[in-house]
């Protein structure tokens, strides 16, 4: 058993092992370095998570405002269509009254009954037609103002959402700290091996290495990918929201509304239709940004759990 051959093998093994631990830190130094490198990462991640939550709420408000603008725009279009029909009715009534053979009361009643059936109204004479028309025009004006306000609100929230999403990423400092933590943990693992050979108690160090070593499996890219998606979606929502606000405001000016020429009416219709389309697009973009922000929270949570466990064993 104590042959020269065995002595030779033992010497070779020692020569192979010694270089591996030649530059190994003492266990205490490795623990100290791990603490310095890894502590505080959880705070930075909690800030990211907090901002992602705030942005989710902001873009959620933008989605609601955009949806409200879309609904209001649709209701306004229905009011405008009915008002246009009433204007045509007034025109026809005036033409009938100006003819040499105006309608009898019975014929006029039948005429109005047919209109009421189509438009679900309760109008009996020219005066009531004008009253209903004035009422519809006032409602349309108010709805137009509401749509403009909601579009503006959605645009503002999307601008804010784009700014927050652009900043709410894993910056160079945090990325560097996590990489330094990984290196410190690898050094700690080497020190644990050496300490075990020396017969030292390594239970606490192993616990720290196991917990903080999980950073090797953390996917930070998902956090930035979700932030980029939220930023792009919010930027689109901001663009369509601002454009929709401008179109809606233009459609609701007295100059546009009071232009009763065929070209003027068509212009108003086009402006309202464009406003409604942009409101829908803004809603969709805001909703998409909200989803990205919500999923970013999920991505941050996974890394934050590692950070919390690491910090927990370090303290």
């Amino acid at each position: 058993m104590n042959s020269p051959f065995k002595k030779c093998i033992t010497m070779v093994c020692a020569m192979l092992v010694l270089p591996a631990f030649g530059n190994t830190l003492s266990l205490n130094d490795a623990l100290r370095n791990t603490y310095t490198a890894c502590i505080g990462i959880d705070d930075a991640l909690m800030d990211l998570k907090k901002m992602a939550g705030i942005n989710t709420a902001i873009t959620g408000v933008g989605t609601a405002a955009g949806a409200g603008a879309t609904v209001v725009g649709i209701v306004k279009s229905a009011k405008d269509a009915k008002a246009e029909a009433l204007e045509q009715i007034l025109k026809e009534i005036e033409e009938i009254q100006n003819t040499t053979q105006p309608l009898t009361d019975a014929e006029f009643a039948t005429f109005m009954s047919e209109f009421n059936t189509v438009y679900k109204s309760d109008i009996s004479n020219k005066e009531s037609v004008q009253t209903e028309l004035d009422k519809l025009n006032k409602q349309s004006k108010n709805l137009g103002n509401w749509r403009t306000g909601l579009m503006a609100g959605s645009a503002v929230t999307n601008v804010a959402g784009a700014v927050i999403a652009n900043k709410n990423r894993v910056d160079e400092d945090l990325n560097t700290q996590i990489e330094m933590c990984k290196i410190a943990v690898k050094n700690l693992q080497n020190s644990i091996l050496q300490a075990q050979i020396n017969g030292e108690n390594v239970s606490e160090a192993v616990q720290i290495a196991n917990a903080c070593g999980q950073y090797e499996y953390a996917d930070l890219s998902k956090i930035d990918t979700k932030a980029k998606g939220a930023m792009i979606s919010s930027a689109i929502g901001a663009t369509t929201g601002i454009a929709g606000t401008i179109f809606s405001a233009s459609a609701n000016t007295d100059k546009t509304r009071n232009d009763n020429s065929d070209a003027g009416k068509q212009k108003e219709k086009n402006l309202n239709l464009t406003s409604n389309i942009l409101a829908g697009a803004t809603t969709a973009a805001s909703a998409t940004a909200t989803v990205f922000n919500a999923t970013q929270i999920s991505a941050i949570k996974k890394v934050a759990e590692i950070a919390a466990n690491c910090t927990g064993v370090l303290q």
Side-chain angles (χ1 to χ4, degrees), residues 37-48:
C38 300
I39 203 72
I41 294 176
D42 58 331
D43 291 335
L45 288 167
M46 286 304 295
D47 288 341
L48 286 177

Side-chain angles (χ1 to χ4, degrees), residues 137-185:
N137 282 331
K138 183 177 180 181
Q139 290 175 341
S140 175
K141 178 76 172 178
N142 289 336
L143 288 167
N145 289 334
W146 294 346
R147 181 183 61 190
T148 301
L150 287 167
M151 286 291 288
S154 186
V156 169
T157 57
N158 274 286
V159 169
V163 172
I164 292 174
N166 186 48
K167 292 182 177 180
N168 203 43
R169 304 189 186 196
V170 178
D171 60 21
E172 191 63 31
D173 289 342
L174 178 56
N175 189 67
T176 298
Q177 186 176 5
I178 291 175
E179 290 301 316
M180 293 302 294
C181 178
K182 290 180 182 179
I183 293 172
V185 170

Side-chain angles (χ1 to χ4, degrees), residues 47 96 102 108 145 164 171 179 181 229 252 284 296-297 299-300 311:
D47 288 341
I96 290 171
F108 186 75
N145 289 334
I164 292 174
D171 60 21
E179 290 301 316
C181 178
N252 214 41
Q296 188 192 30
I297 293 175
I300 294 170
T311 300

Side-chain angles (χ1 to χ4, degrees), residues 3-296:
S3 65
F5 178 75
K6 184 176 180 182
K7 290 181 179 179
C8 181
I9 293 296
T10 304
M11 290 176 64
V12 171
C13 291
M15 291 175 65
L16 291 174
V17 171
L18 286 174
F21 296 100
N23 296 320
T24 301
L25 296 172
S26 69
L27 189 59
N28 285 336
D29 287 343
L31 285 169
R32 190 180 301 107
N33 288 351
T34 303
Y35 179 89
T36 302
C38 300
I39 203 72
I41 294 176
D42 58 331
D43 291 335
L45 288 167
M46 286 304 295
D47 288 341
L48 286 177
K49 182 181 172 184
K50 184 190 300 180
M51 292 309 298
I54 292 172
N55 213 13
T56 301
I58 289 174
T59 51
V61 171
T63 302
T70 304
V71 172
V72 168
I74 292 171
V75 174
K76 182 182 185 304
S77 295
K79 298 284 185 183
D80 290 341
K82 188 173 181 180
E84 186 176 6
L86 286 175
E87 289 174 353
Q88 185 62 33
I89 287 291
L90 277 177
K91 184 178 179 182
E92 291 179 14
I93 290 174
E94 289 173 357
E95 289 176 353
I96 290 171
Q97 290 177 336
N98 291 333
T99 62
T100 55
Q101 293 182 327
L103 294 178
T104 64
D105 290 343
E107 290 172 331
F108 186 75
T110 300
F111 176 77
M112 295 307 302
S113 177
E114 291 175 352
F115 173 83
N116 290 331
T117 299
V118 173
Y119 290 98
K120 299 179 181 179
S121 301
D122 186 20
I123 299 172
S124 58
N125 52 48
K126 180 180 178 181
E127 288 70 23
S128 60
V129 171
Q130 186 62 58
T131 300
E132 181 68 11
L133 178 59
D134 291 341
K135 176 183 174 183
L136 286 171
N137 282 331
K138 183 177 180 181
Q139 290 175 341
S140 175
K141 178 76 172 178
N142 289 336
L143 288 167
N145 289 334
W146 294 346
R147 181 183 61 190
T148 301
L150 287 167
M151 286 291 288
S154 186
V156 169
T157 57
N158 274 286
V159 169
V163 172
I164 292 174
N166 186 48
K167 292 182 177 180
N168 203 43
R169 304 189 186 196
V170 178
D171 60 21
E172 191 63 31
D173 289 342
L174 178 56
N175 189 67
T176 298
Q177 186 176 5
I178 291 175
E179 290 301 316
M180 293 302 294
C181 178
K182 290 180 182 179
I183 293 172
V185 170
K186 288 179 180 178
N187 290 334
L188 176 60
Q189 290 168 340
N190 290 334
S191 296
I192 289 172
L193 292 175
Q194 180 64 64
Q196 284 177 322
I197 293 173
N198 296 339
E200 299 178 44
N201 184 352
V202 297
S203 58
E204 181 183 357
V206 168
Q207 187 180 10
I208 291 172
N210 289 339
C212 299
Q214 294 301 308
Y215 279 118
E216 287 291 341
Y217 310 104
D219 190 353
L220 301 177
S221 65
K222 288 185 178 180
I223 297 175
D224 288 351
T225 298
K226 302 302 182 183
K228 183 177 180 181
M231 181 194 69
I232 292 173
S233 298
S234 290
I236 293 172
T239 301
T240 55
I242 292 170
T245 302
I246 294 171
F247 277 104
S248 182
S250 179
N252 214 41
T253 61
D254 291 336
K255 181 180 178 181
T256 300
R257 293 177 62 87
N258 295 335
D259 186 350
N260 292 320
S261 65
D262 290 341
K265 288 182 178 180
Q266 189 59 48
K267 177 183 177 182
E268 183 180 358
K269 284 182 180 179
N270 292 340
L271 288 171
N272 280 314
L273 177 60
T274 302
S275 298
N276 292 345
I277 291 173
L278 289 170
T282 303
T283 304
S286 296
T288 302
T290 302
V291 171
F292 274 118
N293 286 321
T295 52
Q296 188 192 30

